[in-house]
Amino acid sequence: LQKILILLHVTTCVVVGKTLMILFPNAMRRYILKQGEKSRMNENPKFSYENWGPTFFSFKYLLFVLKVKWKRLEDEAYEGHPAPNTPVATFNGEVRHLFDFMRDNRPLILNFGSCT
């Protein structure tokens, strides 16, 4: 049921977005560029709107967003319930699962952060 609701929501957003891009291309360009500012994507001189802007609200975009949102359903954690066994990437780029790092009865400690 959750996947169906996500499918309906994302499909509606893509159809509305694509329609707005056709009817109001300049306004949507400004909107998409404004969203790019939030992620600081616009600061990279190698990215130009012409390269990535038109991909918004495409069929590939729809499939990508669905894949991400459906994957996140598996990653939800609830208090008092077991932790999800989410995929993680090692420093050398290998994809493993969280529980792969557990050893016997030792606690598994996760440290999240970012480097900029």
Side-chain angles (χ1 to χ4, degrees):
L1 180 63
Q2 285 180 319
K3 284 189 175 185
I4 291 171
L5 291 175
I6 290 171
L7 173 66
L8 291 173
H9 178 258
V10 172
T11 303
T12 302
C13 290
V14 168
V15 168
V16 169
K18 190 64 160 180
T19 303
L20 291 173
M21 282 184 82
I22 292 168
L23 296 176
F24 309 103
N26 292 331
M28 286 302 287
R29 177 189 171 108
R30 286 191 306 272
Y31 173 76
I32 291 171
L33 287 171
K34 192 73 165 170
Q35 297 303 313
E37 287 175 14
K38 291 180 182 178
S39 66
R40 296 174 33 179
M41 185 166 40
N42 296 354
E43 293 177 13
N44 186 335
K46 293 182 181 179
F47 285 113
S48 69
Y49 175 81
E50 289 70 26
N51 290 341
W52 54 266
T55 65
F56 274 66
F57 310 116
S58 65
F59 186 68
K60 279 187 174 183
Y61 175 87
L62 170 73
L63 294 178
F64 175 77
V65 173
L66 283 176
K67 180 181 172 183
V68 169
K69 288 189 174 275
W70 285 347
K71 267 298 215 196
R72 287 187 181 164
L73 283 176
E74 300 168 7
D75 294 343
E76 290 185 24
Y78 300 98
E79 187 175 342
H81 290 83
N85 191 18
T86 61
V88 293
T90 63
F91 286 118
N92 61 3
E94 179 185 358
V95 176
R96 310 244 328 251
H97 283 84
L98 193 61
F99 294 167
D100 295 343
F101 298 96
M102 294 181 71
R103 300 286 181 255
D104 300 321
N105 289 332
R106 293 184 348 198
L108 178 64
I109 298 172
L110 303 175
N111 185 10
F112 296 95
S114 64
C115 299
T116 54

